[in-house]
Amino acid sequence: MAESRIPLHVGLIMDGNGRWAKKRLMPRSYGHKSGMNRMIGLAEHAQKVGVKYLTVYTLSTENLSRPREELDGLFGLFRKYFKTNVKKLYEKNARVKVIGNISALPDDVAKLLEESQASSPENADFTLVFAINYGSRAEILNAVNRAIEDGKKLDERGFGSLLYTDGIPDPDLIVRTGGELRLSNFLCYQSAYSELYFTDTLFPDFSDEQFDKALKDYASRERRFGKVQQ
Ligand code: FPP
């Protein structure tokens, strides 16, 4: 694939872990664990094929009202990932960034997320962005309130700098697994001109080959950004 056709930034809505586990008569937490392992593989693959930013929707603001048991399972996975697995990512010259309101998470998890960002390599050639307790509406409201406090009129660049994604380019492609056809409060401002790709595959089954298929589909599209065809 020509390098210019590889999306710089891919957003990934990792849906379907619960259904994947249910089909196997296993608890939802087993689906999330399998989802985490798949995400680790996909991040490695995305870096290999030349994607520079991969944003994974790991926990939405709305997900925080899920049953305690499921949340505890997810927090356990965060602890495991950010204490251990993340080191492999650093070794490959990749860094971690977190977007979302992490102050609402258990203190030790929030601290781990801060530490992971701080110990990420500088000048990394790949960024894995974790959207955790993230919601576009909360992000936009937070930015608007900061702008009001500053009392300044903003242009797009100024507004962008108040979002959690400051410094991260807009996603070129958003992929959603699990069969639903919506964005679910994920990067709504940033995805104004993103290409969207949906698949019925449940996230733990979403292979590297299927990711490549999404990239190929993206490469075949013509992006006009509201302009007429040249
Ligand atoms: C949505 O599927 C998925 C989530 C709410 C969590 C996604 C989390 C992971 C893949 C684990 C990542 C962990 C780390 C540490 C990066 P769902 O459970 O709502 O699926 P369903 O629609 O089938 O119920």
Side-chain angles (χ1 to χ4, degrees), residues 14-19 28 32 39 58 63 66 78 130:
M14 308 183 286
D15 196 16
N17 295 338
R19 279 166 284 161
R28 294 178 63 80
H32 292 317
M39 185 223 76
T58 314
N63 291 156
R66 286 199 176 188
F78 295 161
F130 287 89

Side-chain angles (χ1 to χ4, degrees), residues 14-82:
M14 308 183 286
D15 196 16
N17 295 338
R19 279 166 284 161
W20 185 89
K22 198 170 171 205
K23 273 169 77 178
R24 288 161 178 77
L25 306 178
M26 295 295 278
R28 294 178 63 80
S29 56
Y30 179 68
H32 292 317
K33 185 162 177 253
S34 306
M36 179 177 99
N37 290 333
R38 187 71 289 264
M39 185 223 76
I40 292 171
L42 273 176
E44 214 173 284
H45 179 70
Q47 182 177 13
K48 254 188 220 150
V49 298
V51 170
K52 297 295 176 194
Y53 295 83
L54 179 70
T55 299
V56 288
Y57 204 7
T58 314
L59 191 73
S60 70
T61 46
E62 291 74 24
N63 291 156
L64 261 199
S65 57
R66 286 199 176 188
R68 194 70 251 163
E69 193 190 332
E70 182 171 351
L71 285 180
D72 284 344
L74 278 168
F75 295 147
L77 290 179
F78 295 161
R79 289 185 183 99
K80 181 171 179 304
Y81 182 87
F82 289 101

Side-chain angles (χ1 to χ4, degrees), residues 156-205:
E156 279 190 21
R157 184 191 289 255
F159 189 68
S161 73
L162 297 175
L163 297 172
Y164 295 133
T165 48
D166 181 27
I168 300 173
D170 287 343
D172 303 291
L173 171 68
I174 294 188
V175 175
R176 179 174 189 145
T177 63
E180 310 290 358
L181 307 180
R182 54 177 172 260
L183 286 179
S184 299
N185 211 6
F186 180 60
L187 300 177
C188 292
Y189 182 84
Q190 298 85 342
S191 64
Y193 282 100
S194 303
E195 297 295 325
L196 307 178
Y197 183 91
F198 298 98
T199 168
D200 288 338
T201 304
L202 303 176
F203 184 66
D205 287 333

Side-chain angles (χ1 to χ4, degrees), residues 145-160:
N145 285 325
R146 281 175 61 193
I148 291 170
E149 276 164 25
D150 289 351
K152 279 192 232 132
K153 265 199 165 179
L154 292 171
D155 56 12
E156 279 190 21
R157 184 191 289 255
F159 189 68

